[in-house]
DNA sequence: AATGAATGAGTTTTCATTCAT
DNA sequence: GATGAATGAAAACTCATTCAT
């Protein structure tokens, strides 16, 4: 069955990102992905349980490594303010660097059914946990108010970043994304209101 | 063809919301919607161009009337701060009052393909314009900073509200939504950072 | 039920010829014919039993009047040779004068199912009888050989004329049809072989 | 896609001839053809682009091989008169030997739409070319008149044979077809008129 | 491990026809 | 007689998945 890892596993994931970004999820037949990956249709099923499993594996793979990289990078930072800014920057940088991946995560992955979305959320937990730990540290250090609603804060941060990226994708990445990090960070930290 | 309005038009829209919320978009066959609406399958096509058109019409209908109601309500409010709070409240109230509709807009509608999403965005423009006008007024009145990035502010506001609602839906509306409006409004206005 | 004759009956027949010639039989919905005829869909069914009945009635109407006219015209002719030539000429003239009708009889009418084709053949019998009477007279008068196979001769004459007309229609009536009558007549009378 | 040739390709063609002859084109569901061929519905689409493609492929296959056989056979014949007679004989023999095929070519194939008929004519060109070459040779050798209208002669020959076969089919092949070849040939060569 | 030919379930949409007004 | 809104049956085609080689 699914033998995670292996050269072909990566090949298929990468082919899937490309094919789905180009054709959209519903026009990305398994056979098309197989052709792009240079393997036979049946081979897909040696590495993935089914078509959905490609999508979720793709997300796990890309998001997983992103969370690991982010954790490492944030560890070397002491200031809470810097940590949040850095996280936003890394988020934007990762997707700006791989537009195909951005299309898949921001648009195509959402076309999946409810069951799949639950599994996606499972993967997202790692990322949301990262945000949460920054919030917890900030509250402890007195950088954030002690009665901050952490769940809501997490949702606001994620919702805002996500919306910014989605807009960038839907506008055909016509402008640069990473430069927005600072202003987005400020807006989240100090709000819209004039000081 | 599409004879917008008429009793049957409404009947079918309402049936679609119910059926899609219960079964998910991909398991909501036209015949199932027709049965729920108490009309023949073919009748659907006297009022809608195709199955997708039901979905987009549904959104236009519900979102359109929401925007109109919001506009009227906001007009009677003078304070910018109150306006934003009111908008958030109305947004949350509308979806909390109709959980089926919330499921459809937050989950099922997003499973649509790119072409459909473009049309959805078209409808959303009315709502985003509402946010924008509040921001513009706030900047003029000095409530918001004069160098506020309005596009980003709009995305942050919408992304945050949307994420809050989606989480509520995915948590099976186990908690109350409207009470979150105030805290969400505060977070958007003053940010996460301790004053 | 079917109230043959009446102004609307003619209107619908003429609309059908036009619509079918323009759109082809399978794209000529009853509603399209009704619109062209300036009547409601349901009105069609006051004059015709069903859609097929329009087609067969159309053919009966047009072919019937053609056979009557031909009979009258041939009666005033005494020479067998002239009669055959005249029949061919009238056949070609009738269809050259009404290209829409030619499209319908040569192409669209043949797309009908077997049951309908039987009824068409019924109508054709009048025409084939006309050919037959010329052949009988010719044999009696010694113009044709006494051991001529009349059934086959009838098929050869009809098949040849029909094929000539069909070719003309399929070549978008780019050349004139009636001028071919004489040469076609000669070929049928004296054959291909050099005298 | 269309993997022309292969055992299944033939199987499906033969099943289609049988099913269409029995039920008529419009009542020959793809699933019915598949069942008769002993393959799954989907398999049809590995060998044919769509349902129409079965029909046209069937005609190409059967007509194509007939033209090739005819060409070979005619090559060994020197007399023009014999060649024409032989061609007629082979035409009648081929269809008399396969009544199902005759039903399909004479009746069902004509129920196809205009687009398909164009493709059928394309296939027919090979056969008409065969007739044409006999005519050309005959004119050269002085067997036919030098001012014979070749296009019309071709239409007369084809139209006559075709009509004879169609009548035979519509009369439920109650009589023998091949014995008519000689008399048909004579009629085409020397015409109806008494010498 | 890899292949790819074969499978067959599943659904939107059209349009001839009806019938209450 | 005339209307036209409503009906509902009917079928081609796709594509994820399997399994013999």
């Amino acid at each position: 069955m699914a033998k995670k890892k292996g050269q072909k596993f990566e090949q298929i994931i990468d082919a899937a990102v490309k094919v789905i970004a180009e054709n959209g999820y519903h026009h990305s037949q398994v056979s098309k992905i197989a052709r792009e990956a240079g393997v036979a249709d049946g081979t897909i099923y040696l590495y993935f349980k089914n078509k959905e499993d490609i999508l979720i594996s793709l997300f796990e793979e890309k998001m997983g490594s992103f969370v690991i990289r982010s954790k490492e990078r944030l560890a070397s930072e002491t200031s809470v303010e810097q940590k949040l800014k850095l996280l936003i920057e890394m988020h934007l940088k990762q997707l700006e660097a791989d537009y195909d991946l951005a299309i898949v995560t921001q648009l195509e992955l959402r076309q999946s059914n409810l069951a799949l979305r639950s599994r996606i959320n499972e993967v997202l937990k790692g990322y949301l946990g990262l945000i949460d730990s920054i919030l917890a540290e900030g509250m402890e250090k007195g950088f954030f108010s002690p009665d901050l609603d952490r769940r809501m804060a997490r949702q606001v941060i994620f919702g805002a970043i996500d919306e910014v990226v989605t807009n960038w994708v839907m506008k055909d990445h016509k402008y640069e994304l990473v430069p927005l990090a600072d202003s987005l960070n400020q807006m989240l930290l100090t709000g819209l209101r004039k000081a």
Side-chain angles (χ1 to χ4, degrees), chain A residues 121-133:
Chain A
N121 282 343
E122 216 47 48
V123 179
L124 268 182
K125 273 189 184 160
Y127 183 58
L128 297 174
L130 212 50
I131 297 178
D132 217 49
S133 67

Side-chain angles (χ1 to χ4, degrees), chain A residues 16-79:
Chain A
V17 172
K18 190 173 172 208
V19 169
I20 294 173
E22 271 172 14
N23 306 282
Y25 181 64
H26 286 300
H27 291 105
S28 295
Q29 296 84 344
V30 171
S31 62
K32 213 182 255 177
I33 295 173
R35 203 180 320 126
E36 175 72 29
V39 300
D41 292 16
T43 305
I44 299 269
Y45 292 85
L46 297 175
Y47 292 88
F48 301 89
K49 220 164 74 240
N50 50 39
K51 190 185 175 186
E52 268 192 359
D53 193 37
I54 304 177
L55 207 57
I56 189 70
S57 297
L58 174 168
F59 191 62
E60 278 170 359
E61 194 74 358
K62 301 295 184 183
M63 196 63 185
S65 68
F66 169 63
V67 171
I68 290 171
R69 266 181 291 129
S70 299
K71 249 185 200 146
E72 289 171 356
R73 184 67 189 78
L74 293 184
S76 64
E77 201 64 56
T78 50
S79 141

